Amino acid sequence: MHRTFLKLVYGRPWHFLTRNSLLVLLCCIISFTSLGQSNYSLDSLKQIIQQNKQDSTTAEALFKLSLTRDRTAPDQAIEAALAALSLFEARGDQSGQASCLLVLQGVYREMGQNQTALNYAKTGLALAGNSGLIDHRIWEGQRSKSLFLGEIGQTYLLMDQLDSAEFYTRAAVAENEQINGSTWNFPIYLLATIETIEGRTLEAENNFRKAYILAIQNNLAWDTLQIYSGMSTLFRKMGKPDSCLKYAQMVVKPGYRATEIKNLLESVDNLIYIHRENGNKDSVLKYLDFKNLVRDSLMSIEQDRKILQITFNEHLKEQEIENRQRAYKDKVRQYSLLAGLLGLALFSFLLWRSNRQKQQSNEKIKKAYDELKSTQQQLIQSEKMASLGELTAGIAHEIQNPLNFVNNFAEVNTELVAELRETQRRGEGHGDAEDILDTLAENSNKILEHGKRADAIVKGMLQHSRTNSGVKEPTDINVLVDEYLRLAYHGMRAKDKSFNSEFSFIPDPNVGKVNVVPQDIGRVMLNLINNAFYAVHEKKKQMSNGYEPRVTVSTKLVSDPKNSPNSQSANSLIITVKDNGKGIPANIKDKIFQPFFTTKPTGEGTGLGLSLSYDIVKAHGGDIKVESQDGEGTVFSVLLPI
């Protein structure tokens, strides 16, 4: 509430005032509200705002602009206050926020928008709370909570909601806000006004007198005039005309500071009423004349105010339209969200019901899972045993050749020894004995040679078939691949006597030793080569004469191969297994590395060979790829980083 006070001193008492004197007094009274608002230069404020620095100086300038425009251009005042409020919020300045909210609630109340005024005032009250927030801009050094409580009480009073007005007013009184060392008078004056309206005259008179004393102590002399005005109305209701006349005359007495127009008119109405009751026609005419002067002089101001009100209302309508559009969009979003939530709720219900059904059949599922897991373990074990069987068959077939040589030469040596003994017994030629001994020595060397060959095969297979430690070690890849190629071939021969195929190994002599887990890479080679031999054998069964089964295995060092996911490596090793068998149909090529997928008849394959091979190669940081043409053949490429 902004007040400016003019000292109007006249040398004559009230009843000697002329019409012109009354007019001068009236003009001074009307203009007091705007004279005090010229403390700030509008140009300087606008210059600061136009710099748009978004700092505290800009915020303060916007706030001061809202004070200068609160009565002449309320829409501009609101716009400036809201902009200042936003800056204060960004800077975390709660005192600045509270000051802006005080201005906003005051402007909206002045324009008759009491509900909006209440909303801003209650927002300010929530901000102030119990934090002891102090105002530094409007009521220097006063607590914001007390100010907002008083403003809310006043707004409810204007809305004729006396219960709410009294509630907030008594809360403001309870705060016991101190001004100049004494309790703030305004909440007590406001309470007395409420009590006057409700007819509690004794309480009202007591609070008016208390408020009067406090106003003097607060050094707020202008508040005494609104207290006098209220007391004149109270005594009029109480039927005390002398007291009513006394306090009403004090409001319009020229020697006092100007008061607000509403208090002036209130006191003039009381004077007219009392003089009419007393039969003082001259006084009645004089005050009626004064009242008419007030009304006539207020006409232009009221017209300006109505124009402002219309402009302000139009501004509010525009804001309301924008708010409605925004609210419509928000509703659309809300309905969309609600629809989504309903869908989610329905989905959740279905999911809950599904989970409930799953829980009810949990034992069956668990049993089925255990059976499946057991079956998987059996299949994996079957795959291992199949690999072991193939390896064993290959070893047996591979070692059979040197054993046959050993057996044959041993039989020949036995016959030669018998022949030598017979020659000695007969005492025949020394030359024959020497020939027999030479032959025995040569045969013994052959037996030793093939025995060592068998020993090397056994040692190599023991090394490759020992328990897998999972530890990488330098391994001669060419030797490992060559051994498993021959083992795979002999294993197929041992299983099926009708099997036959050409096979060849093309090693890269520069490969040398590579750091791998030999047992794992051996298993990969065995799986891939066995599949290749199986493919060419099946094609041979279906083809007429002229088809020659062929499997080619090769190793090669490459630098940054394009098909390698590890192209950043300096060097890589590619092991290729190529066959001219049936090939792989395009529609199943993406499935061949899936566990338990197989094209072999039931009982001939578990579908785990390629899956395990893929996992082993990936564990080595490599990759395995396949290229195939249906009916033409297949090429598997194993890429290993070096």
Side-chain angles (χ1 to χ4, degrees):
M1 184 180 296
H2 311 292
R3 307 173 186 270
T4 301
F5 308 99
L6 300 176
K7 182 69 172 178
L8 303 179
V9 181
Y10 291 86
R12 294 173 292 176
W14 168 259
H15 57 276
F16 288 111
L17 283 176
T18 65
R19 181 182 178 93
N20 290 335
S21 298
L22 289 171
L23 183 59
V24 171
L25 172 62
L26 176 62
C27 292
C28 292
I29 290 171
I30 292 171
S31 62
F32 85 95
T33 57
S34 62
L35 293 177
Q37 298 182 16
S38 59
N39 295 332
Y40 316 112
S41 169
L42 288 178
D43 291 337
S44 62
L45 293 178
K46 290 179 179 179
Q47 287 178 0
I48 294 173
I49 294 170
Q50 288 173 355
Q51 292 177 4
N52 195 26
K53 292 184 177 180
Q54 301 293 307
D55 55 5
S56 59
T57 303
T58 305
E60 296 292 347
L62 286 167
F63 174 74
K64 291 175 182 178
L65 181 62
S66 71
L67 293 181
T68 64
R69 295 298 192 187
D70 63 343
R71 291 176 185 259
T72 58
D75 55 337
Q76 295 180 18
I78 290 173
E79 184 178 357
L82 289 174
L85 178 62
S86 177
L87 289 178
F88 284 131
E89 286 177 345
R91 297 180 61 82
D93 187 342
Q94 292 186 338
S95 176
Q97 296 174 49
S99 298
C100 292
L101 292 169
L102 272 175
V103 171
L104 287 167
Q105 65 88 30
V107 175
Y108 275 104
R109 184 173 60 213
E110 183 74 14
M111 301 307 296
Q113 303 290 330
N114 291 326
Q115 187 57 54
T116 305
L118 276 178
N119 293 338
Y120 280 112
K122 289 183 177 181
T123 301
L125 180 61
L127 179 66
N130 296 317
S131 62
L133 191 64
I134 303 299
D135 182 72
H136 298 293
R137 294 169 181 81
I138 302 176
W139 287 80
E140 180 69 29
Q142 303 307 132
R143 289 180 298 165
S144 297
K145 181 179 180 181
S146 301
L147 300 178
F148 280 114
L149 286 170
E151 296 293 337
I152 293 172
Q154 184 179 9
T155 304
Y156 272 123
L157 178 58
L158 293 174
M159 297 171 69
D160 200 27
Q161 298 183 24
L162 299 182
D163 290 341
S164 297
E166 184 171 354
F167 173 81
Y168 283 98
T169 300
R170 288 191 179 278
V173 172
E175 286 294 313
N176 194 27
E177 182 67 17
Q178 299 290 304
I179 296 179
N180 200 27
S182 298
T183 301
W184 185 28
N185 77 89
F186 179 72
I188 299 174
Y189 154 75
L190 198 59
L191 181 60
T193 303
I194 297 170
E195 292 168 342
T196 300
I197 297 172
E198 293 185 336
R200 292 179 281 162
T201 55
L202 293 179
E203 293 92 334
E205 181 180 359
N206 180 56
N207 281 325
F208 271 132
R209 296 188 185 280
K210 185 186 297 184
Y212 171 75
I213 296 172
L214 292 174
I216 299 301
Q217 294 174 351
N218 294 157
N219 196 24
L220 302 175
W222 65 87
D223 278 359
T224 60
L225 298 178
Q226 65 183 5
I227 295 171
Y228 290 155
S229 177
M231 291 180 73
S232 71
T233 300
L234 172 64
F235 286 125
R236 174 180 168 179
K237 286 189 175 185
M238 294 175 67
K240 296 181 178 182
D242 293 339
S243 297
C244 176
L245 189 64
K246 171 186 175 181
Y247 287 106
Q249 287 177 337
M250 293 180 71
V251 175
V252 297
K253 188 176 181 180
Y256 283 113
R257 299 170 185 264
T259 184
E260 290 189 1
I261 296 175
K262 65 182 181 63
N263 300 131
L264 177 62
L265 291 175
E266 179 183 11
S267 298
V268 171
D269 283 336
N270 289 335
L271 287 170
I272 293 172
Y273 174 80
I274 296 300
H275 284 300
R276 183 180 288 121
E277 291 293 318
N278 292 338
N280 299 327
K281 295 182 179 180
D282 293 340
S283 297
V284 171
L285 291 175
K286 180 178 64 176
Y287 286 115
L288 282 173
D289 188 27
F290 178 69
K291 184 176 181 180
N292 289 332
L293 283 174
V294 172
R295 288 179 175 175
D296 291 342
S297 301
L298 285 175
M299 286 296 293
S300 61
I301 296 177
E302 287 300 323
Q303 289 176 355
D304 291 341
R305 184 179 294 276
K306 286 181 180 179
I307 293 174
L308 287 175
Q309 182 72 47
I310 293 172
T311 304
F312 183 70
N313 289 338
E314 289 297 324
H315 181 70
L316 289 180
K317 286 181 181 178
E318 291 177 0
Q319 288 185 337
E320 185 177 358
I321 292 173
E322 291 179 0
N323 292 336
R324 286 180 180 176
Q325 292 176 346
R326 191 179 300 111
Y328 173 76
K329 293 180 181 179
D330 291 341
K331 281 186 178 180
V332 171
R333 284 194 291 266
Q334 289 174 0
Y335 289 147
S336 300
L337 178 61
L338 181 60
L341 291 175
L342 289 175
L344 181 61
L346 178 61
F347 175 76
S348 300
F349 171 74
L350 295 175
L351 183 62
W352 171 80
R353 188 175 66 176
S354 175
N355 288 336
R356 186 178 179 184
Q357 293 174 349
K358 288 180 180 179
Q359 290 175 356
Q360 291 175 348
S361 59
N362 185 56
E363 290 299 325
K364 293 181 179 180
I365 295 175
K366 186 176 184 302
K367 182 179 179 181
Y369 173 75
D370 291 341
E371 291 177 354
L372 177 62
K373 189 174 182 180
S374 176
T375 303
Q376 289 177 344
Q377 293 296 331
Q378 291 175 5
L379 288 172
I380 293 174
Q381 186 64 28
S382 298
E383 176 67 21
K384 291 182 178 179
M385 294 303 296
S387 297
L388 180 61
E390 293 169 353
L391 184 63
T392 303
I395 293 173
H397 199 279
E398 180 74 7
I399 205 172
Q400 185 65 44
N401 288 333
L403 288 178
N404 286 337
F405 278 111
V406 170
N407 291 335
N408 291 335
F409 283 117
E411 290 177 0
V412 171
N413 282 356
T414 301
E415 293 176 357
L416 290 174
V417 169
E419 182 180 350
L420 178 61
R421 286 177 177 173
E422 181 64 24
T423 301
Q424 289 179 345
R425 186 180 63 79
R426 291 195 307 265
E428 294 179 356
H430 180 71
D432 293 336
E434 289 295 328
D435 291 339
I436 293 173
L437 289 175
D438 290 340
T439 302
L440 284 173
E442 183 178 351
N443 289 346
S444 297
N445 289 332
K446 292 290 184 180
I447 291 173
L448 179 61
E449 177 184 348
H450 290 286
K452 288 182 178 180
R453 171 61 182 160
D455 181 64
I457 293 172
V458 171
K459 287 182 179 179
M461 294 305 102
L462 286 175
Q463 179 181 3
H464 294 308
S465 62
R466 69 188 180 191
T467 301
N468 185 2
S469 63
V471 178
K472 293 181 180 180
E473 57 185 71
T475 303
D476 192 326
I477 293 296
N478 287 337
V479 173
L480 184 142
V481 172
D482 182 49
E483 289 180 354
Y484 276 98
L485 174 60
R486 288 185 286 103
L487 288 175
Y489 175 78
H490 292 303
M492 290 291 292
R493 290 276 296 170
K495 288 169 58 179
D496 188 350
K497 298 299 183 182
S498 65
F499 169 77
N500 193 20
S501 172
E502 293 183 7
F503 67 91
S504 61
F505 175 50
I506 306 174
D508 184 342
N510 297 320
V511 170
K513 292 187 176 182
V514 180
N515 202 33
V516 296
V517 180
Q519 295 83 5
D520 288 347
I521 298 301
R523 178 175 294 178
V524 172
M525 291 296 100
L526 191 62
N527 284 329
L528 296 180
I529 297 171
N530 278 339
N531 286 345
F533 282 137
Y534 178 84
V536 298
H537 186 51
E538 290 298 309
K539 186 174 181 179
K540 179 66 175 177
K541 292 179 181 178
Q542 300 173 3
M543 297 288 290
S544 59
N545 294 335
Y547 170 69
E548 296 294 334
R550 183 171 62 257
V551 173
T552 304
V553 181
S554 64
T555 59
K556 185 178 181 181
L557 282 179
V558 294
S559 297
D560 300 328
K562 294 181 180 180
N563 63 340
S564 171
N566 299 306
S567 59
Q568 68 274 14
S569 302
N571 292 289
S572 297
L573 166 67
I574 291 183
I575 305 174
T576 303
V577 179
K578 180 179 180 181
D579 67 71
N580 63 344
K582 297 189 299 180
I584 302 173
N587 61 334
I588 66 170
K589 187 182 296 184
D590 294 335
K591 302 178 182 179
I592 61 174
F593 293 113
Q594 296 178 4
F596 309 110
F597 179 82
T598 181
T599 58
K600 295 179 180 179
T602 303
E604 292 191 25
T606 62
L608 290 174
L610 288 178
S611 174
L612 292 174
S613 298
Y614 183 85
D615 292 339
I616 290 171
V617 173
K618 285 293 183 180
H620 280 72
D623 197 9
I624 182 169
K625 295 184 178 295
V626 59
E627 297 178 4
S628 181
Q629 291 185 354
D630 193 12
E632 297 296 328
T634 303
V635 178
F636 280 91
S637 299
V638 177
L639 179 69
L640 296 174
I642 297 179

